[in-house]
Every structure is written in structure tokens, then in C-alpha cells.
Amino acid sequence: MSNACCGPVPASPPEPGAEPDHGLQRWWQVRELQVAAVAVVLLAAGWMIGRAGADVTATVVELIAAVVAASTFVPGALKNLRYRRIGVGTLMTIAAIGAVALGEIPEAAMLGILFSIAEGLEHYAVTRTRRGLRALLSLVPPTATVLRGGAERSVAPDELVLGDLMLVRPGERAATDGVIRSGRTSLDLSAITGESVPVEVGPGDDLHAGAINGGGAIEVEVTALASDSSLARIVHIVEEAQERKGSGQRLADTIATPLVPAIMILAALVAALGSLLGDPMLWIERGLVVLVAASPCALAIAVPLTVVAAIGASSRHGALIKGGAALEELGRIRVVALDKTGTLTRNTPRVIAVVTAPGVDESDALTAAATLEARSEHPLAQAVLDAVDGMITPADEVTAIPGHGLTGDLAGTTLRLGKPGWIFPGALAADVSRLQEAGATVVMVERDGAVIAAIAVRDELRTEAPDAVDQLRRLGIDVAMLTGDNERTAGALAADAGITTVHAELLPEDKANLLPTLSRGRKIAMVGDGINDAPALASADLGIAMGAMGTDVAIETAEVALMGEDLRHLPQVLAHARRARRIMLQNIGFSLAIIAVLIPLAATGVLGLATVVFIHESAEVLVIANAIRAARTRPIAGLTTALAASGPVHVTIAPAPHTLDDACCPPTPERAHTDSVVRSSTTTLESLPLISPLPLISLDLSVPPGSSACGCCSDEVATSSPEFARTDGDPLRDSAATGGTRSHRRTRSTRTRR
């Protein structure tokens, strides 16, 4: 936090066969804490020597203690000053040097010790909160068995290629994504989705990296490289997300960034004006105390560490939150609009009844409907196709009428398929009403202008839906259901779920237009399947994709993606975000209060340097401890947590795009080239992007960013503080810089709603 400017050059991939470094496992391995411990021993020795009467020796030992303690931040601060850049480390360096010059050597040593301890604890806290990512990558096995040339071969996950036939035996984990080609089994996805119920799968079903085969052996065709599997993408997205800033972080930065030079001016004024009125040495010392008292150390760490902890914890519970902005917005939600199909329902519709016109055979009616549905992506289409035996000849010139249905031609006849409001039921009206009141969705089939059948399809309500709705209400959140289905069907299903606010027969654009009315000025989230309802998801304050595991567009575009199919993840993640936001506000308020209280007490001489240092650094430790609370979540019965970090990882993933907050430090061509190299995830946790430190202030604004005169991005400075490297990949900020908008990020294939 104190001295970082630009991140270090990414570490080279480890040598083949090298033992991976698992990062810091214990707090005593943190360099800052080790240095602080040595300095404490030296300071104690100096005090005891002084008590024995050897004052000169005691002073020398205490000076050595001060130098040792300051070695964690002074070198970096001096290098930054060389390029006219200042940060919190600069303030502490001035205070330490000034204290030594005034003869307050024990106080200078205490300042360095406490600041080093605070920095070390911050480093350790961030490392621990990132272990959830390592736990996810540890789900990939060290080897995978493939069938090549009729023989089994054991290969590393990175050696798998598209089209390989992977053999997954009982008890083994999948090394990457694929499609099952032979065999049936049950899969344990609890470590990925947070759901403990095994999923039955067979030929044609998808398999995701990290899934445990709980049944028989299966053969799986590889559809994604290990570095681009759903698991690797999740880790990559979370790395990027933890760097994106919400309003709370921007507020902290807005206050903290100009505060650093302002503190130096304030301290200089206290020393100068006081010297004119009294003892110069006394007021210079008070100026140094003000310098320490006003340093925004706690403020700089208040929000970023909370975001890192909260996002990491949510990823272990099957929810991806895309950055601090999404986390804060999630914590403000007071209204939730739920789509019906695939969100409240299981998304496994089936045909429950077929009513035909006189003289029309049931199989003939189903076949006519299937010829149109064969060209449709609507969720109900598969139910009709599954109800037909034999081959289906798709109709010609099939056209989707958004919100209504389909039209097409088959063997010279004109076919229409759609909702009863679009195709008049005629003589089948009574049957249509009866089926709708039973909670079924009815589609009419028309051939050459005559209605030939009404097909009833029902998608069952999720068993956990009433419980999830009840939990949302207990959080003080209003719940509404939006659907393109008819009012009778929607009302019956909503009643079973415990939802009283229902809006039916909506077109996709109607859902988007309805959200402001539902919100009534409050923050509203739209929950859909991540593919349908694109306008509503884009128009809501927050878009939440349900059941996003394996849905690329949902994982990459939604602000929040729930990986599992259990609707109870929704109230869980909302409660988690609300608590994290409270912690952010607590940290910001506490940090500002400490600065506001210490400055006048330091300026008037009520508190000395040693006392201010102790209070100041203790406050930072308290902020860190409070932020770590955001990593705790309350599990729900039936939902599990991802495995604790254990063992090495065996897959490489690409690094996050390198964009820096600091205008003075755009990636140089060499750096951009280096950043494009695939990074091995067997590097230490420290090589993952840490929280964005307090931006350093450039004192020479005339230097064009990225020019040859801009030395802040030189390798010397870039590598000066490897422990606090950062990678600020932020596609949202990149989009804004290039004129992109939120709706652009939400572009997705929109299926037709009927």
C-alpha cells in the first residue's frame, strides 16, 4: 500500500517439474512482520542497555532498530521521490527521519515497527482472502486420462486438445469441460455451485471442470482447453472483479488521493507558524506528529480489502460478483424481479396434455408443432420436440414473432404456433382456460388458418422457491414475478411460490419498461436465466444471471452470476453483499474519524509521536480485522462451501488485462507484450493481483503519461515492492474510455418469448 507504483513484471512460468510455491501459509512468513520482530528485539535490547547506564551503546542499538524497521518502506518511498511521486510511505519516511533528527530515536523505531506490522498484517490478510481462488484451481486434477489411438494415455490438463476423448473414472475429477459421449453417472458439483445434491447425467450432457464423477466411468469429448474451462474463466473473472471499484472505493480514493499532499502542507504550516510563536524545535516535532496522525493508511485499505474478502467468499458459495461496484449495488437492492421460466421453475418443461380439433390426430398435431419448434430456441420448444417420436422435418421459412410465436411453411401448408392471445382458440377456448388454471402454458397450433390443437406444457416450480421468496421478504426485499405467460398460469405458479405481485403476458421490452414502476425509486435487481430477458437485465440497476454454470454469455456479462440452480443462493448473496457494504461504511467512517480526532490532538501537543503512531497503526489493524469479517458467510441448509485451499494447481490461465488506475503508468510496449504471456497458476498467491493501493501522487503533471520522461513505470520502481503488485484489469473502465456502454456489455442472443 505504501510504496507501490506500477506492478512488477509478471513472473516467468516455473520450470518443468519445479515444486510450486503455495504462497504465504503462516503469518510469521510475512517479510514485514519478520523485520518488525527483529526491530522489536533490537529496541528492547537498546532499552535494557540504556537502563544499565551505557547510553551511547543504547542509542546506537536503538538507531539500528529504527533503520531495520524502516527498511520495509523507506527504500521504496525514496525511489518514488526520485520520480516526484509521493504516497503514505513518503509521509512515514519524513516522520521517521525527522524523529531521528530531533533525537526521538525510540519513537522513530516504534513508528517503523508499528507501520511494518500494519503493512504485514494487510499483506497476510489479502493473501488469506484470496485462497478461495486457489481452492477453485485445486479442483483440477494433476493428470487426465485420454483415449488416443485406441490406448489410454495420462496427460497433464494443459496437454488436452479439443476433440480429445477423456476417460473419467468413478471418484475422479474432470480436468476440463466436455460433453459426455458414453456412460451414465451422477456428478458432484458442490465445490463449484455450492449445491450438495448430485446431478444425474448421460450421453449428450455437459461436464464441467472440477466436477467429481460419483458413479460409473464415462467418456467425455473435450470442448474447451483447460486454460479456457468454465473453472478457469471463473477464477480469471474473479481476479478482474476484485479490482473494479464501486462508489465506496471511489469515495475513499477521492478523499485519500489529495489528502497526501494536503497533509504535508498542513504539517509544514503547523511547524512554520508554531515556530514563529514559540519554540521551533517543539513545533517542528508537532508538525511531524501531525504528519503521522493525518496519514490515510486505514482509509486506503478500508474498502479494497472488504471487496476482496466479500467477492472471494461469494465465489466459494457459487456466486460470482463482478467487482466492488456490483457488490455495493447488490447491497442496496430493495426490490427483486424474478423471471418465471428457468428462474422460479426448473426449466425442464414437458407436454402434459394435447387437445385436438375434431378429425385431427394427436400425433399429427404434435408433429406439426415440432416442425416449427425445430427452428426455435424457446425453452418450451424442447418439450414439444421430446413429445414426438421419430424424425422431424423442419418447416421452411420459419419466422419468430417476438412475444407471440412462430410461422412457417411445410409441404405447401402454412403453419402458425403461438399463445392463445395471438391465435384465437375458437372451439378449444374452454379447454385452454381449464389447462391454464391448472398452471400449464398453452400454445395453439394452426394449419392453413384453422386451429387444429392446443398443447399444454408445464414447467414445475422449484421446490426451494417458496423458501427463497420467504427469505427475501425477511431481508425487507419486495418480490415480483415477470413473465410472458398468460395471467392464469402465472397466477397459479406465483401463488405456489408465495409471490403476490405478478405481471403476465409481457413482451421482452415490456419487462424492461416495467422495472421503474416496480422499483418506485428504490434499487431493483432483475433475475433471469442470463440469455433471455436481455432488455430487462440491462435496464435493471443490477442484472443477476441464474444457473450460469456453463453459460458463457451469462458468466461474462452479468454483474452477478449464480452458478447453481438453487434459488436460495439469491437471498444468501444479497444478505452477504448487504453485510459487506455495512462493513465498508464502518471502515470509511472509522478511518475518517481517527484522522479528524488525531490531527487537533497532535497539533496542540496533547499526544506525542509514540502515542499517535500507536493509535494510528492500531486503527489500521482494526480496519483490516473488520474488513476480513466480509469473508464470512452464513451457509444455508443444503448448500455447501467450496473446498479449503489444499495442494498445488495444475492448469495455466491467462492474466487479467493490464489497465492501471494511475494515468502516469500505462503499459509500455514491452510490458504489454509480457502481460500477454500466459501465466502459470502454480505461481505464488502474491503474483495474483492484490488490492489497488492508495494511488501515488505525481508532482510533475507536465510529463506526458507513458512518455520516455515518465520514469515511474521503470523496471526499478516496478519491482520495488513485489508484495503489493497490482493488476487493475477493468473492462468496465476500458469500455467507458472507448465510448462503450452498459448495454454494449450486455449484448447476448435473445430467444423469442411467447
Side-chain angles (χ1 to χ4, degrees):
M1 180 190 72
S2 58
N3 298 315
C5 175
C6 302
V9 177
S12 302
E15 294 296 328
E19 189 67 23
D21 185 349
H22 303 295
L24 299 175
Q25 299 293 325
R26 299 289 185 268
W27 61 266
W28 57 79
Q29 295 177 313
V30 180
R31 175 179 171 270
E32 290 87 351
L33 297 182
Q34 293 173 344
V35 171
V38 173
V40 166
V41 172
L42 289 171
L43 185 60
W47 178 80
M48 288 187 291
I49 293 172
R51 295 277 292 180
D55 293 338
V56 176
T57 305
T59 301
V60 171
V61 174
E62 289 170 352
L63 184 59
I64 294 174
V67 171
V68 169
S71 66
T72 62
F73 59 90
V74 170
L78 294 177
K79 288 179 181 177
N80 287 327
L81 280 177
R82 176 182 170 190
Y83 300 109
R84 301 185 181 183
R85 295 170 63 80
I86 60 175
V88 174
T90 311
L91 302 183
M92 293 300 170
T93 299
I94 295 172
I97 294 174
V100 171
L102 292 173
E104 303 287 347
I105 297 176
E107 285 78 2
M110 187 61 68
L111 183 151
I113 289 169
L114 292 176
F115 187 66
S116 296
I117 290 174
E119 293 288 284
L121 290 176
E122 175 193 322
H123 183 199
Y124 180 64
V126 173
T127 301
R128 287 199 61 181
T129 57
R130 293 201 177 264
R131 293 236 168 96
L133 295 181
R134 179 173 290 274
L136 287 175
L137 287 175
S138 296
L139 299 178
V140 177
T143 60
T145 302
V146 294
L147 302 175
R148 292 177 181 172
E152 294 183 11
R153 292 184 56 189
S154 182
V155 299
D158 283 336
E159 296 177 12
L160 292 170
V161 297
L162 299 181
D164 264 345
L165 200 60
M166 185 169 57
L167 178 63
V168 184
R169 297 184 175 87
E172 293 182 345
R173 291 186 184 273
T176 188
D177 298 345
V179 177
I180 298 174
R181 293 308 179 199
S182 67
R184 305 193 70 86
T185 188
S186 61
L187 298 178
D188 180 359
L189 301 174
S190 59
I192 306 171
T193 66
E195 297 170 11
S196 57
V197 179
V199 179
E200 300 294 329
V201 294
D205 290 330
D206 292 331
L207 178 74
H208 300 297
I212 301 175
N213 182 5
I218 53 176
E219 293 182 1
V220 182
E221 181 182 345
V222 174
T223 58
L225 300 178
S227 59
D228 194 38
S229 69
S230 53
L231 197 62
R233 288 199 307 276
I234 290 172
V235 173
H236 188 63
I237 289 169
V238 172
E239 287 181 357
E240 291 182 347
Q242 289 172 328
E243 301 301 324
R244 299 181 189 171
K245 296 182 179 180
S247 58
Q249 176 61 55
R250 289 193 295 271
L251 172 64
D253 285 352
T254 300
I255 297 171
T257 301
L259 195 58
V260 176
I263 291 167
M264 299 182 70
I265 295 172
L266 175 63
L269 288 175
V270 169
L273 295 178
S275 298
L276 296 177
L277 302 175
D279 183 4
M281 299 302 292
L282 174 64
W283 284 99
I284 290 174
E285 181 179 352
R286 289 184 181 179
L288 293 175
V289 178
V290 168
L291 200 67
V292 175
S295 297
C297 301
L299 183 61
I301 197 68
V303 176
L305 183 54
T306 308
V307 170
V308 169
I311 291 178
S314 67
S315 69
R316 296 193 297 273
H317 285 268
L320 293 185
I321 301 176
K322 307 291 277 299
L327 179 67
E328 292 181 40
E329 201 75 356
L330 196 60
R332 296 189 186 99
I333 295 300
R334 292 297 178 268
V335 184
V336 168
L338 298 168
D339 177 45
K340 179 179 78 72
T341 304
T343 303
L344 283 168
T345 63
R346 295 184 177 280
N347 204 22
T348 54
R350 59 186 180 88
V351 174
I352 60 170
V354 179
V355 180
T356 60
V360 179
D361 183 68
E362 180 178 313
S363 62
D364 182 34
L366 283 171
T367 300
T371 59
L372 292 174
E373 296 284 29
R375 301 294 192 189
S376 173
E377 292 183 333
H378 190 275
L380 300 183
Q382 192 59 46
V384 175
L385 296 174
D386 291 341
V388 177
D389 296 326
M391 296 293 294
I392 299 172
T393 303
D396 298 321
E397 299 182 11
V398 176
T399 303
I401 311 299
H404 297 292
L406 302 168
T407 64
D409 297 326
L410 181 67
T413 63
T414 300
L415 299 174
R416 285 206 306 162
L417 177 85
K419 59 172 58 178
W422 188 51
I423 301 175
F424 185 66
L428 303 180
D431 293 305
V432 169
S433 297
R434 173 178 56 82
L435 292 169
Q436 288 178 339
E437 289 172 356
T441 299
V442 179
V443 292
M444 307 303 301
V445 185
E446 181 186 87
R447 183 162 54 199
D448 288 334
V451 174
I452 62 172
I455 302 175
V457 180
R458 185 162 61 199
D459 191 4
E460 298 296 335
L461 182 72
R462 296 180 186 273
T463 56
E464 77 279 2
D467 184 27
V469 171
D470 182 59
Q471 290 184 40
L472 288 172
R473 286 220 174 87
R474 288 204 297 269
L475 290 172
I477 296 174
D478 292 340
V479 183
M481 186 180 83
L482 310 183
T483 179
D485 217 333
N486 66 86
E487 290 186 3
R488 292 192 186 95
T489 301
L493 188 137
D496 291 340
I499 299 174
T500 56
T501 305
V502 182
H503 296 271
E505 300 184 15
L506 300 174
L507 298 176
E509 57 269 25
D510 294 335
K511 296 179 182 179
N513 296 333
L514 186 62
L515 293 179
T517 303
L518 287 174
S519 67
R520 300 198 303 273
R522 298 168 295 174
K523 294 293 184 179
I524 186 169
M526 178 68 196
V527 186
D529 57 14
I531 300 175
N532 301 303
D533 311 308
L537 286 168
S539 300
D541 293 305
L542 193 77
I544 302 176
M546 177 74 187
M549 191 65 195
T551 308
D552 293 353
V553 67
I555 292 177
E556 296 187 10
T557 60
E559 284 100 344
V560 178
L562 305 180
M563 310 310 294
E565 297 287 344
D566 196 312
L567 195 57
R568 290 174 297 175
H569 282 299
L570 181 59
Q572 183 186 41
V573 74
L574 284 166
H576 177 60
R578 189 173 291 185
R579 181 169 176 267
R581 183 169 177 268
R582 284 198 303 268
I583 291 173
M584 290 182 200
L585 296 177
Q586 291 168 4
N587 282 347
I588 292 175
F590 179 68
S591 302
L592 292 175
I594 286 294
I595 293 174
V597 171
L598 286 183
I599 288 178
L601 294 178
T604 56
V606 175
L607 298 179
L609 181 60
T611 306
V612 167
V613 168
F614 179 78
I615 296 174
H616 185 274
E617 300 309 326
S618 297
E620 184 176 355
V621 172
L622 287 176
V623 166
I624 292 171
N626 193 42
I628 292 175
R629 291 172 51 231
R632 300 173 186 168
T633 55
R634 295 189 179 100
I636 296 176
L639 302 181
T640 60
T641 307
L643 298 177
S646 61
V649 294
H650 309 277
V651 60
T652 57
I653 60 173
H658 186 82
T659 44
L660 293 169
D661 290 330
D662 209 330
C664 188
C665 299
T668 60
E670 296 81 9
R671 186 187 186 92
H673 172 73
T674 306
D675 283 353
S676 67
V677 178
V678 173
R679 178 188 62 201
S680 171
S681 291
T682 54
T683 56
T684 65
L685 278 174
E686 289 83 340
S687 67
L688 294 176
L690 298 182
I691 61 167
S692 298
L694 176 67
L696 299 182
I697 312 301
S698 176
L699 300 182
D700 188 356
L701 300 180
S702 64
V703 179
S707 70
S708 58
C710 178
C712 67
C713 297
S714 67
D715 290 341
E716 184 177 14
V717 174
T719 57
S720 65
S721 184
E723 302 92 53
F724 295 96
R726 70 182 184 189
T727 304
D728 295 284
D730 192 345
L732 305 187
R733 193 158 56 238
D734 295 345
S735 175
T738 56
T741 64
R742 188 168 182 241
S743 60
H744 292 161
R745 291 187 284 105
R746 290 186 168 282
T747 302
R748 50 168 74 93
S749 58
T750 306
R751 296 178 179 175
T752 306
R753 283 286 192 182
R754 292 198 291 275

